[in-house]
Amino acid sequence: MKLIFTISSILILSLDATRGTSSSSIRGTGPQDEASKKISSESNGDEDVYYLDGKCPVFTEDPKNGNTELGKKMIAATKPCGYYQSQGCNYDVIPANVVHPGEGVGDLEFEPYIVQFDVGVHREIRKKVMDDFNNWNGGDDKRDCIGCDEDESETCLELIVKGNSDATGGCAGKCGPNCLGAGWAKDCMKHDVCATYKALLQPDIDFSKGDGFCYDPDCGDEAATTVHNCYINSWGPDRPITCEKENFNERWAYGHWSYSTSFFSEGPCYNFISWKSGQGLPDK
């Protein structure tokens, strides 16, 4: 196993847990300008939302605060996972609870994605996640859990958002503080969208209020995936893979935390490790 301190790791040591940003390392440099694609669609009467065939809303504009009409549209357009594909929306899906390699140009293009995330806490880890959240000194207005219902399960949701757009407050999917991060990644996109959706549901709290990153019981698992990667150990450079259980049938597969986690205090990201917790983070 080779431990290489990358330029990306250095660039994001200053991490940001606020809405609309994600922290990550070992990521690509981001898509090239020519990868940006215009959305060919009808306006459907909404100047701030684009549509494909009138039924696939693509969000690109900053919702500002949950009191705005755009914020209400985003909340209404957030559907159970699988909804948009069932409606014939042919955008690539960024699935919840899968950690992507996040390496190289093209991990996240500047185009629309069906972005999936979950709210609530898996029953296997609920006690330790909620204990750490309750003990966290996040201030009087820290964001309460929005998905912690009585059956102690998670709810998978999805929204269509264009990469690098303003839909999450700026540079959707870019890893690191605001728009100053090292690159774009699918896992950072999931965290951005999750944190934005939660902020829109809590309009009494300032939209820019930090979510606590890995302290957050709703989006903390998405946060953890932005600072974790999986590889297969080899004699040459270790090969990046998605952190899926079947990939760990390979003897030399392993998970690895970003070097950046040694330099920040954005919560107990390790709470989300283990296959049985359903968060996509490996046991080894």
Side-chain angles (χ1 to χ4, degrees):
M1 184 187 307
K2 286 160 283 299
L3 301 180
I4 302 173
F5 201 94
T6 65
I7 296 296
S8 295
S9 301
I10 298 172
L11 289 173
I12 62 163
L13 296 183
S14 175
L15 301 177
D16 191 336
T18 61
R19 178 272 317 145
T21 62
S22 294
S23 304
S24 180
S25 71
I26 320 179
R27 304 291 180 182
T29 56
Q32 302 299 316
D33 289 342
E34 59 265 28
S36 301
K37 299 180 180 179
K38 292 183 179 180
I39 305 169
S40 176
S41 56
E42 306 170 12
S43 69
N44 216 38
D46 294 330
E47 294 181 356
D48 47 16
V49 186
Y50 293 90
Y51 288 81
L52 177 67
D53 298 330
K55 58 189 176 184
C56 304
V58 177
F59 291 89
T60 63
E61 301 300 318
D62 190 342
K64 304 297 183 184
N65 287 290
N67 296 327
T68 67
E69 287 302 312
L70 177 57
K72 294 175 183 177
K73 292 174 187 176
M74 291 181 74
I75 292 172
T78 302
K79 303 294 186 181
C81 288
Y83 173 83
Y84 283 114
Q85 281 197 318
S86 73
Q87 298 299 304
C89 302
N90 294 318
Y91 295 120
D92 287 345
V93 176
I94 302 178
N97 299 322
V98 174
V99 181
H100 297 82
E103 290 218 354
V105 173
D107 183 64
L108 186 80
E109 303 290 353
F110 295 173
E111 60 186 36
Y113 289 89
I114 299 173
V115 184
Q116 297 182 343
F117 60 95
D118 50 41
V119 294
V121 189
H122 194 284
R123 60 176 58 87
E124 289 286 343
I125 56 174
R126 179 164 182 150
K127 184 179 187 305
K128 60 183 178 181
V129 169
M130 293 309 299
D131 284 349
D132 284 334
F133 173 72
N134 291 329
N135 291 328
W136 169 51
N137 184 21
D140 294 335
D141 59 347
K142 66 181 181 181
R143 300 187 180 281
D144 290 331
C145 183
I146 61 173
C148 295
D149 53 23
E150 295 182 359
D151 66 0
E152 299 186 358
S153 64
E154 295 176 295
T155 301
C156 188
L157 302 170
E158 65 184 23
L159 184 67
I160 306 176
V161 174
K162 186 180 179 183
N164 200 45
S165 70
D166 292 332
T168 61
C171 302
K174 195 164 190 179
C175 307
N178 300 310
C179 290
L180 303 176
W184 293 258
K186 292 175 180 175
D187 295 329
C188 295
M189 183 73 146
K190 286 187 295 187
H191 179 249
D192 286 355
V193 174
C194 182
T196 299
Y197 173 71
K198 182 170 183 174
L200 290 173
L201 288 181
Q202 298 175 328
D204 292 336
I205 301 175
D206 188 270
F207 195 54
S208 63
K209 173 70 177 179
D211 62 3
F213 206 60
C214 285
Y215 280 112
D216 185 3
D218 293 300
C219 305
D221 54 330
E222 284 80 13
T225 66
T226 72
V227 289
H228 196 89
N229 292 104
C230 292
Y231 301 89
I232 292 179
N233 192 21
S234 63
W235 291 107
D238 290 356
R239 177 162 60 91
I241 58 174
T242 55
C243 299
E244 296 179 271
K245 193 170 185 179
E246 54 267 30
N247 287 341
F248 277 69
N249 292 329
E250 162 64 49
R251 177 181 178 184
W252 301 111
Y254 70 95
H256 178 63
W257 290 107
S258 161
Y259 295 100
S260 62
T261 57
S262 301
F263 299 90
F264 79 111
S265 57
E266 297 295 350
C269 297
Y270 50 79
N271 277 345
F272 301 98
I273 281 184
S274 115
W275 294 123
K276 66 180 182 180
S277 72
Q279 310 307 304
L281 296 174
D283 295 300
K284 68 170 185 174

